[in-house]
Amino acid sequence: MKKRLSRCFFPALLSLLALPSFSASGPIEIVRVKNEEYLPLDEILSQTELDHSFDMISGKGRLYRKGHYAVYGIGLSIILVDGGLYKSPVPVRRKAGRVLIPFDAAEKIVQSLRPGVRVDRDRSAAYVRFPDNEDESPERKEDTPVTPVKDRIRFIVIDPGHGGKDPGALGKGGIMEKDITLAVSKRLEKELKNAFPDLRVFLTRSNDRFIELSGRTAIANKLLKKSENGIFLSVHVNSALSSRISGYETYFLSQNPTNEDARNTAALENNVIVLEEKHDGGGTHDDVDYIEAMMITTQIQKESAALAACIQKGLSKKNRAFASRGVKKADFFVLRGVLMPAVLVEIGYISNIKEARQLKKEDHQRAVAAGIAEGVELFIKKYNSLIKIN
Ligand SMILES: [Zn+2]
């Protein structure tokens, strides 16, 4: 409480000097629960024009605007704001059908998602204040559309699975998954750069080195902060006990795996966690990873499912040698916390002798890369057409 008083006083004085004129919206009633102050989320949304998605099942919601985002959970005091954690003294609540955001957290969210906009208060009400000269608002200059639109896809992150001390799945004759994923990813990079000269294409690794799973995610999310949306593609090779199984499949993140095979594939890919230094055998994620993992929104999941369907379609056009095993969902650590459409492609089975042999060959690698690229193209067309309609 003491902290809040001292914080209010001095910055208020400073901001008077720096920004002379603001216009205020209508009052927002401050709701009190157990002597703590909250602002209703619906009021914040309508007055600040933030986009929002909410997952009823997990009780997690996401506010976003122009590459900035905040993720909250009912009952959680930790709010994710632009990749950082903001801790509020009290949790977000739901009361009488309304989501209530702690006052200080609401201030933080508005400041971050609407730079230049302030939340002020008097005794019982809060006011959202906009700078009088709209041109002074830094975000307005970037793009002019008034209606809330999704950010366009501006970049693609290709994540070649495994690397360095982590070879991934092993095949007969010393074939290693990490080598195939890197070769195919590099071909995919070329394909995508040709297909999308305006997009930036990144590889999480371009040589044989080890990267932690959270590091791969971080590379993608860092790019997202620059007011741009992106796509995350993790490229892998599968392995099964039966050498008869062959074919390719595309996964998106879900805590509910499609079936036992999907669960096994995820378990196989998640094994790498024991090689990561901070997880020395314990297998537990730190708090940030855990919270990000829990905060998948329905919006991102839907987009990821659509991306997976497109990629599987593209692959089935170009990879005629093996069968499509369809789109599946499972809990892959590398997809957790990726705040953009993200999929994991298992391009074939290293445990199948015929397919392993093909996966080493240039022409097959090229076909696989072309198939994934075609899927990405299909998805981006769909995604951008949705933006235009909005
Ligand atoms: Zn793998």
Side-chain angles (χ1 to χ4, degrees), residues 370-385:
I372 297 173
E374 186 157 331
V376 170
E377 209 166 341
L378 197 64
F379 174 77
I380 289 181
K381 265 185 202 161
K382 277 189 188 176
Y383 183 92
N384 284 345
S385 72

Side-chain angles (χ1 to χ4, degrees), residues 142-270:
E142 289 167 16
D143 31 73
T144 35
V146 182
T147 46
V149 292
K150 287 188 279 183
D151 293 312
R152 279 179 176 272
I153 305 288
R154 298 293 189 200
F155 64 87
I156 299 165
V157 177
I158 306 166
D159 174 43
H162 312 278
K165 64 183 173 184
D166 169 26
L170 303 172
K172 277 193 178 151
I175 311 170
M176 292 186 274
E177 177 183 359
K178 67 174 183 178
D179 297 328
I180 298 168
T181 60
L182 184 59
V184 170
S185 295
K186 282 183 170 174
R187 290 184 195 284
L188 178 58
E189 182 192 21
K190 260 183 211 161
E191 292 272 352
L192 290 172
K193 279 183 170 167
N194 285 339
F196 302 102
D198 297 339
L199 295 192
R200 291 177 299 149
V201 183
F202 301 90
L203 289 170
T204 55
R205 67 176 178 99
S206 53
N207 52 32
D208 183 22
R209 68 190 178 95
F210 181 76
I211 315 173
E212 297 195 345
L213 295 177
S214 56
R216 297 168 191 264
T217 309
I219 290 169
N221 281 347
K222 246 181 215 168
L223 295 160
L224 191 65
K225 275 199 270 183
K226 298 175 187 168
S227 304
E228 295 177 347
N229 205 357
I231 288 174
F232 183 83
L233 306 167
S234 200
V235 178
H236 287 257
V237 179
N238 216 336
S239 179
L241 285 175
S242 163
S243 60
R244 283 192 295 179
I245 297 173
S246 68
Y248 49 90
E249 55 217 355
T250 308
Y251 286 85
F252 63 95
L253 182 66
S254 168
Q255 258 89 50
N256 308 305
T258 303
N259 54 26
E260 200 54 35
D261 284 348
R263 199 190 301 272
N264 290 339
T265 301
L268 188 74
E269 300 295 7
N270 292 341

